[in-house]
Amino acid sequence: MGTWDIGPFDNDTAADFSYRVDEAPAEKRAEVLREAFREVTATGDDYLDSDVAVEAIASAALVAAQCPGGDPVTTAYGPKEPLPDLPVELRPLAVAALDRVLVAPSELLELWEESDGDEWKAGIRTLRAVLAGS
């Protein structure tokens, strides 16, 4: 995975995921995000692959952008097409996915703990707080 910063779209996998979101019909984009959350939470206590985790984080950032206090996704690596109003019920799914990303065994967590892990985790927790409404 090529990564250049700690943001949700600052890596090749998230940029590719953005393209997949753009390619989905507008009425199916929420389902693309929902599936990214499901893939992460379905791992339970099993090993979580970094690519799956990255897609869930990107999805969470897109959902959080529509929450009060959420930051818009303005990066060139995010989706180019506007997202429809996303269902509010995606928020707790995003929170659960972010919680899972931060618990071992998680490849992405392991990778970040080798470098800027504290700053990256702080960013994930901030994103989670927006989604949780706290």
Side-chain angles (χ1 to χ4, degrees):
M1 161 176 77
T3 301
W4 50 90
D5 209 345
I6 64 167
F9 292 94
D10 293 341
N11 60 77
D12 291 333
T13 301
D16 292 344
F17 178 74
S18 294
Y19 179 76
R20 197 162 82 234
V21 171
D22 280 338
E23 289 299 302
E27 67 276 5
K28 298 287 186 184
R29 290 188 184 135
E31 189 54 37
V32 172
L33 306 183
R34 184 185 320 273
E35 184 57 31
F37 301 140
R38 276 191 204 130
E39 284 187 59
V40 167
T41 57
T43 63
D45 294 334
D46 294 336
Y47 189 75
L48 176 59
D49 179 77
S50 66
D51 287 345
V52 174
V54 163
E55 290 181 1
I57 293 167
S59 295
L62 294 172
V63 174
Q66 293 187 6
C67 293
D71 292 327
V73 175
T74 57
T75 177
Y77 301 103
K80 310 279 184 266
E81 299 297 321
L83 287 173
D85 288 340
L86 297 170
V88 188
E89 53 271 8
L90 287 179
R91 295 174 188 178
L93 299 176
V95 167
L98 293 178
D99 287 346
R100 174 60 189 93
V101 168
L102 292 176
V103 174
S106 169
E107 182 182 23
L108 190 60
L109 177 64
E110 291 170 10
L111 291 169
W112 277 110
E113 286 182 338
E114 293 173 3
S115 59
D116 295 326
D118 290 338
E119 190 176 354
W120 175 78
K121 283 189 252 181
I124 299 299
R125 287 185 186 114
T126 299
L127 188 58
R128 184 197 186 284
V130 169
L131 289 159
S134 51

